Amino acid sequence: MKKIFFVMTLLIGAVLYAQDESGAAQSNNSTEQVRYNTVKYGTETEIVNLIQTLKTEGADYLDQEITALVENTRNQKILAGAFSFFGEREKSGLEDRAMRAIEERGEEKNETVLAAIDYLGKVKAEKAAPVLRKLIESSEKRFINAALRSFGRISGGGRADDAAEYLVDFYENNSPDDENRREIITALGAAGSAGAVQFLAGIASNSEERAGLRTAALESIAKIGAGSEVADKAGLDAILACVSAGDPNLRSAAVTALGPFSGQAVDQAILDAFRDSYYRTRIAAAQASRQRKLAAAVPYLKFRAERDEVPAVKEDSIRALGAIADSESVKILEDLFIERKNNDRVRIVAGEMIMQLQPEKFLDRFVMELDEAKQKKQTALYNGLLKIIGETKSANMETVTRRLMQNSGVIERSYALDMAVNNRLAGLADEIRAITTDKNESLAAKARRTLEKLGLP
């Protein structure tokens, strides 16, 4: 009798489990079906809200349905939402509809046309070049800025020289206003033709030109970077001339633009920029040092990280030390991190750098400082350090991850789940499963996703 009862219990349990699994599957399928039907039959508000949800989730399973919808609608909100959703992911598929919106702009809302132009630029739709050129030449003020910007984006590769020639000619012969001139200069940088450097250098070097246009020219020279020898020299000469300009914004833009260039004069200009009284120029010096991994800048970066009165200068200096990453830089970063008198942001950024560079070596000390911050209720510091350890990849992460999973705090357990995925900690399966039943549904759902990512039942 006991045996029969036991068997019946097992059968009932199996049926209930199957019903639960079936119910979960139906619920999941129901959600997807509702979304599918929303795309086909929903109002503009429902569809736009769904697109925003898909954007937040990073989901692409309805792309085909959205593409079909866009092809046959003139609803401005739906079109603008779809162009934005696809454009942010640089996802092709809407190019023909976007070009049609431009060609038939008399029948479309301005917002739709602008969204279509922006989309074509983001997906670098080369076949749209003739359509954008025609729009530029129409001189319609409401669209010309966006058209110039996108034309530059799509004109790289083999079309760069032709695009640069066209844009320079338009600049010189069509009398564009200052706003459009700036867009043309920016488009030349996006196109990336070395043939444009001489023209851009002329603008950057012209002391009678507006500072905004000169700054844009410097930025475009930097984007083009290394080209022909003549172009390199013209571009570098213009940048170096602006490093000592009277306008502080122009100086900082010039130091930033030094990044792609090399040589003693460039290195010296970067080091000199650390002495500039304008904080943005010091930031530019730190960023240029970081880009070039300039070891000669380490003493300057140490001084700025310790003593600069502007927090952003300190932060960029610390990140530059992390990029240079020689033994001297690492020691400076360690000292900045363990010195508890430093402000939270300095310690957090320094901790981030050392955990990227040598996580195995510094893990124990990092956990010690994490515990210290929690004990002293230094909330900002504690949360900042938690985020760093949540993103850390190291061979020794299982113990600290298990400890955080057993913590009562939602934030701690959430980061622990990230750590389990980042470090493939399948050995923590039981701890992860325990979180799947947590009363915080968001955390429980994350735990279920973590099991999936680790291939665990």
Side-chain angles (χ1 to χ4, degrees):
M1 190 71 182
K2 287 182 178 178
K3 185 175 181 181
I4 293 172
F5 178 77
F6 177 71
V7 171
M8 289 296 294
T9 301
L10 287 177
L11 288 171
I12 292 169
V15 169
L16 291 173
Y17 176 79
Q19 288 176 341
D20 286 346
E21 289 293 296
S22 174
Q26 285 180 354
S27 175
N28 186 47
N29 290 337
S30 175
T31 298
E32 293 187 1
Q33 188 63 45
V34 168
R35 290 180 171 187
Y36 174 82
N37 289 338
T38 298
V39 175
K40 291 184 70 69
Y41 312 116
T43 67
E44 64 176 27
T45 302
E46 293 166 341
I47 292 170
V48 169
N49 288 340
L50 172 57
I51 289 174
Q52 184 58 50
T53 300
L54 294 170
K55 187 185 296 187
T56 301
E57 294 177 355
D60 61 0
Y61 63 88
L62 288 175
D63 281 2
Q64 188 173 344
E65 285 71 24
I66 294 173
T67 300
L69 170 66
V70 165
E71 187 63 28
N72 298 299
T73 185
R74 287 193 183 275
N75 184 286
Q76 179 264 317
K77 291 182 179 178
I78 293 173
L79 285 171
F83 287 141
S84 172
F85 179 43
F86 276 53
E88 284 185 11
R89 295 175 293 147
E90 298 183 6
K91 179 73 178 282
S92 60
L94 306 183
E95 293 92 333
D96 290 342
R97 182 64 183 91
M99 288 189 289
R100 197 165 86 236
I102 295 171
E103 292 170 332
E104 300 174 0
R105 55 190 177 277
E107 302 173 35
E108 302 277 11
K109 299 283 188 183
N110 285 354
E111 292 82 357
T112 301
V113 180
L114 289 168
I117 295 168
D118 188 57
Y119 168 74
L120 292 170
K122 285 180 176 176
V123 299
K124 297 178 172 60
E126 292 186 11
K127 65 179 181 179
V131 175
L132 291 174
R133 281 181 63 157
K134 189 173 180 180
L135 181 58
I136 291 167
E137 289 160 6
S138 73
S139 297
E140 294 182 57
K141 288 187 176 181
R142 53 189 176 156
F143 301 131
I144 190 168
N145 277 359
L148 286 165
R149 193 178 311 120
S150 286
F151 182 75
R153 288 175 179 168
I154 71 173
S155 300
R159 305 175 58 92
D161 291 342
D162 289 341
E165 184 178 347
Y166 171 77
L167 289 167
V168 171
D169 179 74
F170 191 88
Y171 188 103
E172 294 178 335
N173 297 313
N174 287 66
S175 302
D177 60 25
D178 279 344
E179 190 174 355
N180 289 336
R181 288 166 72 197
R182 186 181 178 92
E183 287 296 350
I184 292 170
I185 292 168
T186 301
L188 286 167
S193 170
V197 172
Q198 198 86 34
F199 169 77
L200 293 168
I203 296 172
S205 303
N206 186 354
S207 60
E208 296 182 1
E209 188 58 87
R210 293 184 60 177
L213 296 180
R214 295 177 71 188
T215 297
L218 290 169
E219 292 168 352
S220 287
I221 292 170
K223 284 181 183 177
I224 294 169
S228 67
E229 184 178 345
V230 174
D232 282 354
K233 187 177 186 310
L236 181 55
D237 286 348
I239 294 170
L240 290 173
C242 292
V243 165
S244 57
D247 187 300
N249 290 307
L250 196 60
R251 291 200 307 273
S252 64
V255 175
T256 301
L258 287 170
F261 298 91
S262 59
Q264 186 175 354
V266 175
D267 292 349
Q268 190 57 52
I270 293 171
L271 298 180
D272 286 344
F274 281 107
R275 299 187 176 93
D276 199 298
S277 59
Y278 185 51
Y279 77 97
R280 289 190 184 277
T281 305
R282 300 197 300 279
I283 288 175
Q287 291 173 344
S289 301
R290 178 183 177 185
Q291 183 178 352
R292 300 164 63 78
K293 299 183 179 179
L294 183 60
V298 169
Y300 296 84
L301 293 167
K302 178 179 185 294
F303 189 87
R304 290 294 130 211
E306 292 174 344
R307 299 179 177 277
D308 204 284
E309 71 271 16
V310 179
V313 178
K314 287 186 174 184
E315 183 170 336
D316 276 301
S317 297
I318 294 169
R319 294 193 183 282
L321 288 166
I324 296 168
D326 59 14
S327 58
E328 184 181 0
S329 298
V330 174
K331 182 63 171 65
I332 294 167
L333 292 170
E334 182 182 3
D335 292 343
L336 289 168
F337 174 65
I338 66 176
E339 177 50 73
R340 293 175 180 173
K341 292 180 181 178
N342 285 333
N343 67 52
D344 291 350
R345 191 60 196 159
V346 165
R347 298 189 68 198
I348 288 169
V349 179
E352 180 186 352
M353 294 298 101
I354 62 173
M355 291 303 282
Q356 287 177 6
L357 294 170
Q358 298 180 5
E360 286 82 9
K361 178 180 177 181
F362 291 109
L363 180 60
D364 289 344
R365 183 58 191 254
F366 192 91
V367 172
M368 184 190 302
E369 296 303 323
L370 181 69
D371 291 342
E372 173 76 9
K374 183 176 183 180
Q375 182 182 342
K376 291 189 173 179
K377 297 185 169 138
Q378 296 170 296
T379 305
L381 178 62
Y382 180 66
N383 288 340
L385 297 184
L386 262 182
K387 182 176 186 298
I388 293 167
I389 205 166
E391 297 168 351
T392 297
K393 294 182 180 180
S394 171
N396 308 316
M397 295 297 289
E398 186 163 323
T399 301
V400 65
T401 305
R402 177 179 282 108
R403 202 182 82 181
L404 287 173
M405 280 187 181
Q406 294 168 347
N407 194 293
S408 61
V410 172
I411 295 174
E412 285 86 349
R413 286 180 291 161
S414 179
Y415 280 126
L417 292 172
D418 293 335
M419 292 157 70
V421 172
N422 292 341
N423 295 279
R424 308 302 299 169
L425 300 178
L428 297 177
D430 290 342
E431 287 83 354
I432 299 170
R433 289 193 188 99
I435 301 176
T436 62
T437 59
D438 194 89
K439 63 183 179 181
N440 184 308
E441 179 51 37
S442 177
L443 185 65
K446 184 173 182 178
R448 292 192 288 272
R449 291 195 301 272
T450 300
L451 289 172
E452 290 176 12
K453 291 174 182 177
L454 291 174
L456 296 171

